[in-house]
């Protein structure tokens, strides 16, 4: 029997100036699909679900979104992605709209990128 107070994470939420553009970026970057849109009280889509069938991300449009001031401030979280061909993945991420900041603390182990909302994420080789 399942413990009624044991929870599980249903999805991970992210905010940006354009939730749809952010969802499109992450769906393409991960090879996932955008599966659902959620409207605000005026019927305008403002939240977008991206999934691979097991993990779900929701991307929200937030007019007052402010990207993290990294590296000056610590991050509350970030994503780490791994790919079998890091060089090809990095080229693809840049083509999709990621940017590569000058500050790169990972040395030979990982590379930091910023998604279209300005949120840092890291890329490394699949192990």
């Amino acid at each position: 029997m399942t413990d009624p107070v044991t929870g599980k994470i249903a999805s991970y939420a992210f905010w940006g100036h354009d939730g749809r553009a952010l969802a499109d970026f992450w769906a393409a970057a991960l090879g996932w699909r955008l599966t659902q849109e959620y409207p605000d009280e005026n019927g305008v889509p403002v939240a977008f679900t991206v999934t691979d069938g097991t993990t779900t991300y929701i991307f929200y449009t937030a007019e007052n979104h402010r990207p993290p001031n990294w590296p000056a401030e610590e991050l509350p979280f970030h994503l780490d992605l791994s790919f079998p061909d890091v060089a090809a993945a990095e080229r693809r991420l840049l083509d999709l709209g990621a940017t590569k900041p000058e500050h790169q603390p990972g040395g030979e182990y990982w590379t930091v990128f910023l998604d279209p909302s300005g949120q840092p994420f890291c890329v490394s080789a699949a192990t």
Side-chain angles (χ1 to χ4, degrees):
M1 186 162 120
T2 304
D3 182 343
V5 296
T6 300
K8 68 175 187 171
I9 296 173
S11 65
Y12 304 90
F14 300 86
W15 282 259
H17 289 293
D18 184 339
R20 175 61 191 252
L22 201 52
D24 288 342
F25 169 82
W26 282 105
L30 297 170
W32 294 9
R33 63 190 185 288
L34 192 145
T35 57
Q36 192 164 2
E37 296 180 351
Y38 297 93
D40 64 11
E41 62 276 359
N42 299 313
V44 176
V46 294
F48 307 87
T49 302
V50 172
T51 186
D52 67 348
T54 61
T55 302
T56 300
Y57 294 152
I58 300 176
F59 299 94
Y60 292 92
T61 298
E63 292 179 16
N64 296 318
H65 172 74
R66 185 179 62 86
N69 185 16
W70 181 85
E73 299 172 356
E74 293 180 352
L75 298 175
F77 75 95
H78 75 277
L79 297 176
D80 289 325
L81 308 179
S82 63
F83 295 92
D85 184 338
V86 172
E90 290 181 356
R91 286 189 301 275
R92 184 162 181 269
L93 291 165
L94 291 169
D95 288 346
L96 290 170
T99 56
K100 187 175 177 181
E102 196 171 305
H103 181 65
Q104 291 293 326
E108 65 186 65
Y109 301 106
W110 68 82
T111 303
V112 179
F113 288 90
L114 305 177
D115 75 9
S117 74
Q119 175 65 42
F121 66 96
C122 295
V123 172
S124 63
T127 55

